[in-house]
Every structure is written in C-alpha cells, then in structure tokens.
Amino acid sequence: MNMQNQNRNGYMLLFVGMDWHKGLSPEQTQKVSEDWMAWFKRLNEQGKAVAGHPLGLEGKSVSGKNRTVTDGPFAEAKEAIGGYFMLAVPTMDEAVAIAQQCPGLPYGAKVEVRPVLSDCPMKPENKIEESLVGAK
C-alpha cells in the first residue's frame, strides 16, 4: 500500500443533491431510504463509518465583512449537501469504493469524497513547511 495515499484522519462522504427521490413512488423512496440506512449500519458494524447524519433543509448562512445572516436553503436542491458519513478508512481508494456503493447514486445523488485534514493548511507553520518542501 502506498503510504503517501494514506490519511490517518479518515475521509468524509458528503451527499450532494436533495432531490434524488423526485419521480420515485413513496414505496420506492422508502426502499432506497431503507437501503441507505442498511448501508450505513453495515459500514458502522465494520468500523468503517464512525458518524453520519442527514442535514436539515432549514438553516442560516453567515457571510461577508458585515457578517450578513441569511436564511437557507443555501443552494438549489440538486447542489445542497443533504448529509454526511465520516469514514475511518486509511485510503482515498477505499473511501471512493465505499462511496460507489451509495444507494442514491442511480437516482441522481452525488457523493463527494474529501480527506479530513489533521491541521489547517492556512496555519503559518504549515505554509512555511510547504515552501521548504517545494524548495527541495
């Protein structure tokens, strides 16, 4: 296994698209939802999923110099983040393989796979470290 591709902090699956169920019957929607929960339960039992929750449609957004607060929804339903799983797996390849099992994919859901960093890349000491690595 290539050590450069390992991440001790795991990976986050972000489920993008809140309208995957459009066009499905209530029974089909229920079936996909049950499959989604069974998928999470199986990953959890295997020790691969350590957290996960759906996100509500409502919320607030804070932005800009004046810290303006606006009401959600924050994006079109097809681009909104509908939930997440936190994975305790060592490689991006394994996280992607898990994401490919998402029961919502055939219905328009999208899964972003992102590494969880141990430290903020914007911290001054990390910027110095990057420049030193680049100078070698």
Side-chain angles (χ1 to χ4, degrees):
M1 190 178 298
N2 184 347
M3 294 300 283
Q4 285 184 317
N5 293 331
Q6 291 198 357
N7 180 7
R8 293 186 313 236
N9 298 306
Y11 294 85
M12 180 146 318
L13 301 186
L14 299 171
F15 301 107
V16 181
M18 305 278 289
D19 58 356
W20 60 265
H21 61 282
K22 297 272 197 259
L24 296 181
S25 70
E27 295 80 18
Q28 290 170 313
T29 301
Q30 182 65 33
K31 171 75 168 93
V32 175
S33 296
E34 288 170 1
D35 290 349
W36 210 309
M37 292 305 298
W39 176 49
F40 178 77
K41 183 178 179 186
R42 184 176 66 252
L43 291 169
N44 186 260
E45 289 169 353
Q46 295 169 350
K48 294 180 179 181
V50 296
H53 291 281
L55 300 176
L57 295 174
E58 321 274 302
K60 302 280 184 187
S61 177
V62 180
S63 62
K65 291 180 183 180
N66 295 327
R67 291 155 177 79
T68 304
V69 178
T70 56
D71 291 329
F74 308 108
E76 289 184 43
K78 66 181 180 179
E79 295 299 322
I81 297 174
Y84 71 93
F85 286 0
M86 178 66 198
L87 301 180
V89 298
T91 67
M92 176 66 84
D93 289 343
E94 187 171 359
V96 168
I98 290 170
Q100 289 175 319
Q101 300 168 15
C102 175
L105 290 174
Y107 306 100
K110 177 178 151 186
V111 184
E112 287 188 24
V113 182
R114 308 277 297 273
V116 176
L117 303 178
S118 60
D119 218 350
C120 177
M122 299 307 293
K123 280 178 67 175
E125 56 268 27
N126 291 339
K127 291 245 175 232
I128 292 168
E129 209 172 279
E130 273 181 28
S131 65
L132 292 175
V133 170
K136 289 183 181 181

